[in-house]
């Protein structure tokens, strides 16, 4: 079974999620700069989630670049990932509207954690399908970013009740960590093509 | 006429339906865990409908994998299916907001039933176009899942007025039945490719 | 310049328009059948517009099937068509919410008229680009459906103030007229391929 | 790395942005023509933003037509552009609802400016990747439109507080300037193919 429709469907869902988040930025009725002020935390949450979804799209893109065939299991692992990502508009809106209060921040972190776990499961499903000598396994290597991220999200959930800014700092740190483009897969692919 | 645009359009519509359902999860104004409690039935309905739409996307994917050409009749049978699926966000939201009350549960079941019938019509239209020796007909075989599902949905509609939990149980049962990946089409295709 | 991205973008926009219309079907707060009654005209308007958008998608699909190259003019003629189609959710919602009152019905007809004109312009732009011996010109032939439809929409606008049901009848009549699949393009294409 | 998924994802996001803007045209409760009057500025803002997004889609289409390979940097430069474009529904709705008042007009201009800068960065990233003899660099030539537009947006921001109609005039002027189809890239590509 080809991977094209899976990629097209995932691109569609990610494009919609990243775009409907902006609907949480409710148009204010007044025309003054003051009317924008209460929207600032909503806007900042939007920026953070936009970057996270951009990272997921980027990594998804790279992961399926190193994938030839998809099975029923991979289709469902992918839908499972899309499910958690589809909750981003909700958690982003809730965290933004409540000015980064503890509970919404913790729930935001929880959904990030679940998405990271879903991504990990999808990665394992592809590697399992590829068997020994898996291109993807070689490409991700030790995958320390993939392993560190869920640990930091997990830490961010209880820390939100101590101080939500610590959790927000962790979210920003993980995002920056991934923003450094992940050249591992490109590198391994380029190497194999040479051989 | 090629099937690519039909697939692309269907992927687009399904991606949007699966994603705008999440807009029914209205962001609460308070930042406490209590504020999430009334959203629980909405969330559970969302999970159920997400799984159903995932199943439809999966089966649609497999069905058109076994299809080469599309006719005007197939295009309209496909739009007819998309129409009933497009009502999922409405019925999901209504059932969720009313904590799985009888009438919304019955209407939810009715829309599931109509979607199942539309899927069946689409399947017959493709088989009719393929004529004797239809690849799709061979692939789906006796199609007991496809025949049992509408019967269970039909039963769930009146049962919602006896006890909506019985209907919900049936919806969950049918979803689980389909979640077992449908390897029939993959198997028949693989077999034919060998021959 | 290839036509693929134009088709993909149009499919995306049409998929979104056809789907967000359903958001006008606001989830009622009560769980009774009575709560659905005021939604009936909204639902019927939704069905009508869904069919119209299905027809546009179908015809668009056929038209670009008979098109090889696109120019800047064709891109803009296509965007112009998408603009008028993007107003369907608004006019559908307005007509539905006001139980098919005269003014919303007239505006609904006006937007149908503008979309039909935009479709006609797009068709002429493609035929002009193809020059003499245009495949599309041969395929559409006398195009009596394309010529009759705007006349009927134009009649429906003032008739809405006499009796909106007459206009609604015209809208339904035109939709049924197009639902008969348009085999002209398929036929001409099949013929040319034989030659 | 191929450009197909980048194009597909961008098309998806642009299709959604251009379509959800129409949701700011809230369906009025009354059925009279008077009920449409307060929507007029919202409608005009919608038309303007629709044209701008059409221009961006058109230029994006041409730009990637002259691009073979994409890097991680190009992916992020593209997401950066989509981020600013995703704010169009918000600024369009705010400007429209407030009848083109100074502050919303200035913010509308600011987002146009940021999108123009993001487009410029994306263009530079592609040219840098193509190295000397870049096809895109040859195609855009002196790029006076690309250089004049941000200057006019920048002027429109403070001018909104003098008279918002001056800013609106500038926005319309820039849109008209771009509506003249950009044949540079087509011309250079056609020339190279001949050689």
């Amino acid at each position: 079974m080809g991977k094209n429709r899976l990629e097209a469907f995932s691109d569609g869902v990610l494009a919609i999620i990243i775009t409907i988040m902006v609907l949480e930025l409710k148009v204010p009725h007044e025309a003054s700069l003051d009317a924008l002020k209460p929207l600032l935390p909503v806007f900042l949450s939007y920026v953070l989630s936009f970057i996270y979804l951009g990272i997921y799209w980027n990594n998804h893109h790279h992961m399926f670049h190193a994938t030839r065939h998809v099975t029923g299991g991979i289709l469902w692992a992918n839908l499972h990932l899309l499910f958690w990502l589809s909750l981003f508009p909700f958690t982003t809106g809730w965290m933004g509207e409540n000015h980064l209060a503890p509970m919404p921040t913790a729930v935001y972190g929880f959904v990030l954690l679940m998405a990271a776990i879903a991504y990990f499961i999808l990665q394992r499903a592809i590697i399992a399908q590829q068997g020994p000598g898996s291109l993807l396994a070689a490409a991700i290597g030790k995958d320390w970013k993939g392993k560190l991220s869920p640990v930091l999200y997990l830490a961010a959930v209880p820390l939100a009740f101590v101080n939500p800014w610590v959790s927000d700092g962790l979210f920003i740190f993980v995002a920056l960590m991934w923003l450094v483009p992940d050249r591992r897969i490109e590198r391994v692919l380029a190497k194999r093509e040479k051989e």
Side-chain angles (χ1 to χ4, degrees), chain A:
Chain A
M1 190 166 27
K3 64 177 177 174
N4 293 341
R5 267 191 89 179
L6 184 146
E7 286 187 334
F9 184 72
S10 306
D11 281 353
V13 171
L14 284 169
I16 299 157
I17 295 172
I18 218 170
T19 321
I20 63 173
M21 275 196 317
V22 91
L23 296 176
E24 287 302 324
L25 268 179
K26 303 267 162 58
V27 172
H29 291 295
E30 276 157 64
S32 66
L33 198 58
D34 279 348
L36 287 188
K37 264 187 205 157
L39 288 177
L40 190 66
V42 184
F43 179 73
L44 293 178
S45 313
Y46 174 59
V47 174
L48 183 64
S49 294
F50 191 97
I51 292 171
Y52 263 112
L53 287 165
I55 290 166
Y56 269 105
W57 179 72
N58 241 318
N59 290 348
H60 194 272
H61 188 295
H62 279 86
M63 183 160 63
F64 278 92
H65 202 58
T67 305
R68 290 284 165 272
H69 299 289
V70 295
T71 59
I74 291 171
L75 289 184
W76 279 105
N78 189 56
L79 278 165
H80 179 232
L81 170 63
L82 295 177
F83 173 76
W84 290 107
L85 296 179
S86 80
L87 297 178
F88 273 39
F90 176 80
T91 55
T92 305
W94 200 35
M95 187 167 78
E97 261 198 35
N98 288 288
H99 297 213
L100 318 176
M103 181 56 77
T105 305
V107 171
Y108 187 87
F110 175 73
V111 169
L112 277 180
L113 174 64
M114 295 310 289
I117 292 173
Y119 190 85
F120 184 77
I121 292 172
L122 175 56
Q123 200 168 267
R124 298 315 310 177
I126 295 172
I127 289 173
Q129 189 267 327
Q130 295 185 335
S134 155
L135 182 59
L136 182 59
I140 59 168
K142 291 197 181 152
D143 193 24
W144 64 269
K145 277 188 201 174
K147 280 170 189 155
L148 182 57
S149 306
V151 174
L152 295 179
Y153 299 144
L154 190 60
V157 172
L159 284 171
F161 298 100
V162 182
N163 188 337
W165 291 102
V166 176
S167 307
D168 295 327
L170 283 173
F171 301 153
I172 294 165
F173 173 77
V174 175
L176 291 176
M177 190 173 87
W178 282 101
L179 267 179
V180 180
D182 199 336
R183 299 199 196 280
R184 291 170 305 174
I185 293 175
E186 289 177 56
R187 219 180 291 138
V188 174
L189 277 172
K191 209 174 140 194
R192 291 226 176 169
E193 272 157 28
K194 276 189 203 150
E195 289 167 10

mmCIF file of all heavy atoms in Angstrom, chain A residues 164-194:
data_model
loop_
_atom_site.group_PDB
_atom_site.id
_atom_site.type_symbol
_atom_site.label_atom_id
_atom_site.label_comp_id
_atom_site.label_asym_id
_atom_site.label_seq_id
_atom_site.Cartn_x
_atom_site.Cartn_y
_atom_site.Cartn_z
ATOM 1 N N PRO A 164 3.458 28.100 36.698
ATOM 2 C CA PRO A 164 3.229 27.799 35.283
ATOM 3 C C PRO A 164 4.322 28.322 34.359
ATOM 4 O O PRO A 164 4.521 27.789 33.277
ATOM 5 C CB PRO A 164 1.865 28.447 34.978
ATOM 6 C CG PRO A 164 1.457 29.180 36.190
ATOM 7 C CD PRO A 164 2.329 28.786 37.322
ATOM 8 N N TRP A 165 5.046 29.361 34.806
ATOM 9 C CA TRP A 165 6.090 29.906 33.926
ATOM 10 C C TRP A 165 7.224 28.920 33.718
ATOM 11 O O TRP A 165 7.867 28.913 32.662
ATOM 12 C CB TRP A 165 6.619 31.236 34.477
ATOM 13 C CG TRP A 165 5.578 32.303 34.382
ATOM 14 C CD1 TRP A 165 4.804 32.777 35.387
ATOM 15 C CD2 TRP A 165 5.161 32.987 33.198
ATOM 16 N NE1 TRP A 165 3.922 33.725 34.911
ATOM 17 C CE2 TRP A 165 4.128 33.878 33.567
ATOM 18 C CE3 TRP A 165 5.561 32.943 31.869
ATOM 19 C CZ2 TRP A 165 3.489 34.693 32.651
ATOM 20 C CZ3 TRP A 165 4.930 33.767 30.953
ATOM 21 C CH2 TRP A 165 3.904 34.624 31.347
ATOM 22 N N VAL A 166 7.467 28.091 34.748
ATOM 23 C CA VAL A 166 8.504 27.061 34.595
ATOM 24 C C VAL A 166 8.092 26.096 33.477
ATOM 25 O O VAL A 166 8.897 25.753 32.603
ATOM 26 C CB VAL A 166 8.713 26.312 35.933
ATOM 27 C CG1 VAL A 166 9.721 25.179 35.745
ATOM 28 C CG2 VAL A 166 9.172 27.272 37.012
ATOM 29 N N SER A 167 6.813 25.695 33.497
ATOM 30 C CA SER A 167 6.314 24.786 32.457
ATOM 31 C C SER A 167 6.401 25.441 31.080
ATOM 32 O O SER A 167 6.850 24.827 30.115
ATOM 33 C CB SER A 167 4.856 24.410 32.746
ATOM 34 O OG SER A 167 4.739 23.923 34.058
ATOM 35 N N ASP A 168 5.977 26.701 31.024
ATOM 36 C CA ASP A 168 6.033 27.406 29.744
ATOM 37 C C ASP A 168 7.475 27.483 29.252
ATOM 38 O O ASP A 168 7.737 27.327 28.054
ATOM 39 C CB ASP A 168 5.447 28.817 29.894
ATOM 40 C CG ASP A 168 3.964 28.767 30.228
ATOM 41 O OD1 ASP A 168 3.286 27.838 29.751
ATOM 42 O OD2 ASP A 168 3.485 29.638 30.978
ATOM 43 N N GLY A 169 8.402 27.720 30.194
ATOM 44 C CA GLY A 169 9.819 27.745 29.832
ATOM 45 C C GLY A 169 10.241 26.411 29.234
ATOM 46 O O GLY A 169 10.971 26.374 28.225
ATOM 47 N N LEU A 170 9.760 25.313 29.832
ATOM 48 C CA LEU A 170 10.108 23.987 29.307
ATOM 49 C C LEU A 170 9.536 23.797 27.903
ATOM 50 O O LEU A 170 10.207 23.262 27.016
ATOM 51 C CB LEU A 170 9.587 22.892 30.241
ATOM 52 C CG LEU A 170 10.407 22.670 31.510
ATOM 53 C CD1 LEU A 170 9.692 21.692 32.441
ATOM 54 C CD2 LEU A 170 11.796 22.127 31.150
ATOM 55 N N PHE A 171 8.268 24.237 27.700
ATOM 56 C CA PHE A 171 7.652 24.093 26.371
ATOM 57 C C PHE A 171 8.482 24.843 25.319
ATOM 58 O O PHE A 171 8.714 24.345 24.218
ATOM 59 C CB PHE A 171 6.217 24.630 26.349
ATOM 60 C CG PHE A 171 5.290 23.953 27.321
ATOM 61 C CD1 PHE A 171 4.180 24.627 27.842
ATOM 62 C CD2 PHE A 171 5.492 22.634 27.722
ATOM 63 C CE1 PHE A 171 3.309 24.014 28.727
ATOM 64 C CE2 PHE A 171 4.623 22.008 28.615
ATOM 65 C CZ PHE A 171 3.531 22.706 29.114
ATOM 66 N N ILE A 172 8.892 26.059 25.688
ATOM 67 C CA ILE A 172 9.670 26.872 24.750
ATOM 68 C C ILE A 172 11.031 26.226 24.493
ATOM 69 O O ILE A 172 11.498 26.154 23.355
ATOM 70 C CB ILE A 172 9.823 28.320 25.300
ATOM 71 C CG1 ILE A 172 8.452 28.999 25.341
ATOM 72 C CG2 ILE A 172 10.806 29.127 24.453
ATOM 73 C CD1 ILE A 172 8.410 30.271 26.176
ATOM 74 N N PHE A 173 11.643 25.696 25.568
ATOM 75 C CA PHE A 173 12.953 25.053 25.427
ATOM 76 C C PHE A 173 12.873 23.865 24.465
ATOM 77 O O PHE A 173 13.706 23.713 23.564
ATOM 78 C CB PHE A 173 13.451 24.605 26.806
ATOM 79 C CG PHE A 173 14.709 23.797 26.736
ATOM 80 C CD1 PHE A 173 15.944 24.413 26.518
ATOM 81 C CD2 PHE A 173 14.680 22.411 26.857
ATOM 82 C CE1 PHE A 173 17.106 23.661 26.432
ATOM 83 C CE2 PHE A 173 15.838 21.657 26.765
ATOM 84 C CZ PHE A 173 17.058 22.288 26.549
ATOM 85 N N VAL A 174 11.838 23.011 24.645
ATOM 86 C CA VAL A 174 11.716 21.838 23.760
ATOM 87 C C VAL A 174 11.497 22.287 22.317
ATOM 88 O O VAL A 174 12.089 21.735 21.382
ATOM 89 C CB VAL A 174 10.578 20.913 24.231
ATOM 90 C CG1 VAL A 174 10.381 19.767 23.247
ATOM 91 C CG2 VAL A 174 10.873 20.356 25.619
ATOM 92 N N ALA A 175 10.651 23.313 22.132
ATOM 93 C CA ALA A 175 10.387 23.806 20.775
ATOM 94 C C ALA A 175 11.684 24.280 20.126
ATOM 95 O O ALA A 175 11.990 23.926 18.981
ATOM 96 C CB ALA A 175 9.365 24.931 20.811
ATOM 97 N N LEU A 176 12.486 25.058 20.870
ATOM 98 C CA LEU A 176 13.748 25.563 20.317
ATOM 99 C C LEU A 176 14.687 24.413 19.974
ATOM 100 O O LEU A 176 15.370 24.420 18.951
ATOM 101 C CB LEU A 176 14.415 26.516 21.310
ATOM 102 C CG LEU A 176 13.685 27.838 21.520
ATOM 103 C CD1 LEU A 176 14.387 28.665 22.589
ATOM 104 C CD2 LEU A 176 13.607 28.624 20.213
ATOM 105 N N MET A 177 14.691 23.398 20.834
ATOM 106 C CA MET A 177 15.538 22.215 20.632
ATOM 107 C C MET A 177 15.228 21.551 19.288
ATOM 108 O O MET A 177 16.111 21.089 18.577
ATOM 109 C CB MET A 177 15.234 21.257 21.778
ATOM 110 C CG MET A 177 16.135 20.084 21.928
ATOM 111 S SD MET A 177 15.682 19.218 23.472
ATOM 112 C CE MET A 177 14.367 18.116 22.895
ATOM 113 N N TRP A 178 13.933 21.514 18.940
ATOM 114 C CA TRP A 178 13.541 20.863 17.689
ATOM 115 C C TRP A 178 13.676 21.791 16.493
ATOM 116 O O TRP A 178 13.796 21.340 15.350
ATOM 117 C CB TRP A 178 12.081 20.382 17.767
ATOM 118 C CG TRP A 178 11.930 19.117 18.540
ATOM 119 C CD1 TRP A 178 11.505 19.004 19.831
ATOM 120 C CD2 TRP A 178 12.207 17.784 18.100
ATOM 121 N NE1 TRP A 178 11.497 17.694 20.215
ATOM 122 C CE2 TRP A 178 11.922 16.920 19.164
ATOM 123 C CE3 TRP A 178 12.681 17.240 16.907
ATOM 124 C CZ2 TRP A 178 12.087 15.542 19.082
ATOM 125 C CZ3 TRP A 178 12.840 15.870 16.815
ATOM 126 C CH2 TRP A 178 12.552 15.042 17.893
ATOM 127 N N LEU A 179 13.613 23.099 16.759
ATOM 128 C CA LEU A 179 13.691 24.054 15.646
ATOM 129 C C LEU A 179 15.022 23.933 14.919
ATOM 130 O O LEU A 179 15.099 24.177 13.720
ATOM 131 C CB LEU A 179 13.515 25.480 16.160
ATOM 132 C CG LEU A 179 12.089 26.002 16.125
ATOM 133 C CD1 LEU A 179 12.037 27.405 16.683
ATOM 134 C CD2 LEU A 179 11.553 26.003 14.690
ATOM 135 N N VAL A 180 16.068 23.563 15.672
ATOM 136 C CA VAL A 180 17.329 23.251 15.015
ATOM 137 C C VAL A 180 17.017 22.116 14.050
ATOM 138 O O VAL A 180 16.610 21.049 14.466
ATOM 139 C CB VAL A 180 18.371 22.787 16.061
ATOM 140 C CG1 VAL A 180 19.689 22.468 15.378
ATOM 141 C CG2 VAL A 180 18.530 23.834 17.141
ATOM 142 N N PRO A 181 17.127 22.351 12.751
ATOM 143 C CA PRO A 181 16.602 21.355 11.806
ATOM 144 C C PRO A 181 17.260 19.986 11.979
ATOM 145 O O PRO A 181 18.443 19.880 12.254
ATOM 146 C CB PRO A 181 16.910 21.956 10.433
ATOM 147 C CG PRO A 181 17.874 23.051 10.664
ATOM 148 C CD PRO A 181 17.758 23.489 12.076
ATOM 149 N N ASP A 182 16.428 18.967 11.831
ATOM 150 C CA ASP A 182 16.834 17.592 12.100
ATOM 151 C C ASP A 182 17.463 17.016 10.830
ATOM 152 O O ASP A 182 16.783 16.476 9.971
ATOM 153 C CB ASP A 182 15.582 16.792 12.492
ATOM 154 C CG ASP A 182 15.968 15.531 13.201
ATOM 155 O OD1 ASP A 182 17.106 15.076 12.995
ATOM 156 O OD2 ASP A 182 15.146 15.008 13.953
ATOM 157 N N ARG A 183 18.763 17.156 10.746
ATOM 158 C CA ARG A 183 19.430 16.751 9.508
ATOM 159 C C ARG A 183 19.789 15.261 9.490
ATOM 160 O O ARG A 183 20.312 14.763 8.489
ATOM 161 C CB ARG A 183 20.710 17.568 9.316
ATOM 162 C CG ARG A 183 20.442 19.053 9.205
ATOM 163 C CD ARG A 183 21.627 19.749 8.574
ATOM 164 N NE ARG A 183 21.533 21.179 8.820
ATOM 165 C CZ ARG A 183 20.751 22.020 8.125
ATOM 166 N NH1 ARG A 183 20.014 21.569 7.162
ATOM 167 N NH2 ARG A 183 20.718 23.312 8.426
ATOM 168 N N ARG A 184 19.511 14.561 10.605
ATOM 169 C CA ARG A 184 19.903 13.146 10.654
ATOM 170 C C ARG A 184 19.349 12.354 9.471
ATOM 171 O O ARG A 184 20.076 11.654 8.776
ATOM 172 C CB ARG A 184 19.372 12.505 11.938
ATOM 173 C CG ARG A 184 20.052 13.014 13.184
ATOM 174 C CD ARG A 184 19.294 12.511 14.393
ATOM 175 N NE ARG A 184 17.874 12.889 14.303
ATOM 176 C CZ ARG A 184 16.948 12.491 15.151
ATOM 177 N NH1 ARG A 184 17.260 11.668 16.132
ATOM 178 N NH2 ARG A 184 15.703 12.879 15.030
ATOM 179 N N ILE A 185 18.015 12.502 9.247
ATOM 180 C CA ILE A 185 17.395 11.672 8.218
ATOM 181 C C ILE A 185 17.926 12.048 6.838
ATOM 182 O O ILE A 185 18.292 11.191 6.044
ATOM 183 C CB ILE A 185 15.856 11.780 8.307
ATOM 184 C CG1 ILE A 185 15.385 11.138 9.609
ATOM 185 C CG2 ILE A 185 15.205 11.110 7.105
ATOM 186 C CD1 ILE A 185 13.911 11.280 9.886
ATOM 187 N N GLU A 186 18.035 13.363 6.584
ATOM 188 C CA GLU A 186 18.590 13.809 5.305
ATOM 189 C C GLU A 186 19.987 13.223 5.090
ATOM 190 O O GLU A 186 20.325 12.762 4.009
ATOM 191 C CB GLU A 186 18.685 15.341 5.266
ATOM 192 C CG GLU A 186 17.334 16.047 5.173
ATOM 193 C CD GLU A 186 17.488 17.561 5.214
ATOM 194 O OE1 GLU A 186 18.222 18.112 4.382
ATOM 195 O OE2 GLU A 186 16.868 18.198 6.090
ATOM 196 N N ARG A 187 20.781 13.242 6.175
ATOM 197 C CA ARG A 187 22.161 12.802 6.077
ATOM 198 C C ARG A 187 22.245 11.313 5.742
ATOM 199 O O ARG A 187 22.953 10.904 4.824
ATOM 200 C CB ARG A 187 22.869 13.089 7.396
ATOM 201 C CG ARG A 187 24.298 13.574 7.214
ATOM 202 C CD ARG A 187 24.943 13.849 8.540
ATOM 203 N NE ARG A 187 24.367 14.994 9.212
ATOM 204 C CZ ARG A 187 24.086 15.054 10.521
ATOM 205 N NH1 ARG A 187 24.289 14.004 11.296
ATOM 206 N NH2 ARG A 187 23.569 16.141 11.041
ATOM 207 N N VAL A 188 21.460 10.511 6.472
ATOM 208 C CA VAL A 188 21.514 9.065 6.263
ATOM 209 C C VAL A 188 20.995 8.715 4.881
ATOM 210 O O VAL A 188 21.568 7.875 4.175
ATOM 211 C CB VAL A 188 20.716 8.335 7.363
ATOM 212 C CG1 VAL A 188 20.640 6.850 7.056
ATOM 213 C CG2 VAL A 188 21.353 8.572 8.719
ATOM 214 N N LEU A 189 19.919 9.408 4.468
ATOM 215 C CA LEU A 189 19.363 9.138 3.134
ATOM 216 C C LEU A 189 20.394 9.472 2.055
ATOM 217 O O LEU A 189 20.604 8.703 1.111
ATOM 218 C CB LEU A 189 18.107 9.973 2.892
ATOM 219 C CG LEU A 189 16.815 9.411 3.464
ATOM 220 C CD1 LEU A 189 15.717 10.434 3.313
ATOM 221 C CD2 LEU A 189 16.430 8.118 2.762
ATOM 222 N N ALA A 190 21.040 10.634 2.210
ATOM 223 C CA ALA A 190 22.018 11.076 1.223
ATOM 224 C C ALA A 190 23.160 10.070 1.140
ATOM 225 O O ALA A 190 23.645 9.727 0.056
ATOM 226 C CB ALA A 190 22.544 12.460 1.601
ATOM 227 N N LYS A 191 23.566 9.560 2.308
ATOM 228 C CA LYS A 191 24.669 8.595 2.384
ATOM 229 C C LYS A 191 24.296 7.301 1.650
ATOM 230 O O LYS A 191 25.076 6.791 0.841
ATOM 231 C CB LYS A 191 24.931 8.300 3.866
ATOM 232 C CG LYS A 191 26.377 7.931 4.183
ATOM 233 C CD LYS A 191 26.540 7.802 5.686
ATOM 234 C CE LYS A 191 27.424 6.629 6.042
ATOM 235 N NZ LYS A 191 27.315 6.287 7.467
ATOM 236 N N ARG A 192 23.062 6.813 1.928
ATOM 237 C CA ARG A 192 22.637 5.556 1.297
ATOM 238 C C ARG A 192 22.533 5.691 -0.211
ATOM 239 O O ARG A 192 22.790 4.754 -0.949
ATOM 240 C CB ARG A 192 21.256 5.142 1.824
ATOM 241 C CG ARG A 192 21.307 4.722 3.265
ATOM 242 C CD ARG A 192 20.549 3.441 3.466
ATOM 243 N NE ARG A 192 20.710 3.031 4.862
ATOM 244 C CZ ARG A 192 20.017 2.073 5.417
ATOM 245 N NH1 ARG A 192 19.097 1.422 4.712
ATOM 246 N NH2 ARG A 192 20.224 1.725 6.665
ATOM 247 N N GLU A 193 22.084 6.886 -0.646
ATOM 248 C CA GLU A 193 21.950 7.065 -2.094
ATOM 249 C C GLU A 193 23.307 7.030 -2.785
ATOM 250 O O GLU A 193 23.435 6.581 -3.913
ATOM 251 C CB GLU A 193 21.221 8.382 -2.390
ATOM 252 C CG GLU A 193 19.711 8.185 -2.427
ATOM 253 C CD GLU A 193 18.935 9.459 -2.151
ATOM 254 O OE1 GLU A 193 19.464 10.543 -2.443
ATOM 255 O OE2 GLU A 193 17.800 9.358 -1.625
ATOM 256 N N LYS A 194 24.317 7.494 -2.058
ATOM 257 C CA LYS A 194 25.677 7.470 -2.618
ATOM 258 C C LYS A 194 26.179 6.039 -2.752
ATOM 259 O O LYS A 194 26.846 5.690 -3.725
ATOM 260 C CB LYS A 194 26.618 8.258 -1.703
ATOM 261 C CG LYS A 194 26.603 9.762 -1.984
ATOM 262 C CD LYS A 194 27.699 10.448 -1.202
ATOM 263 C CE LYS A 194 27.353 11.925 -1.004
ATOM 264 N NZ LYS A 194 27.899 12.455 0.224
#
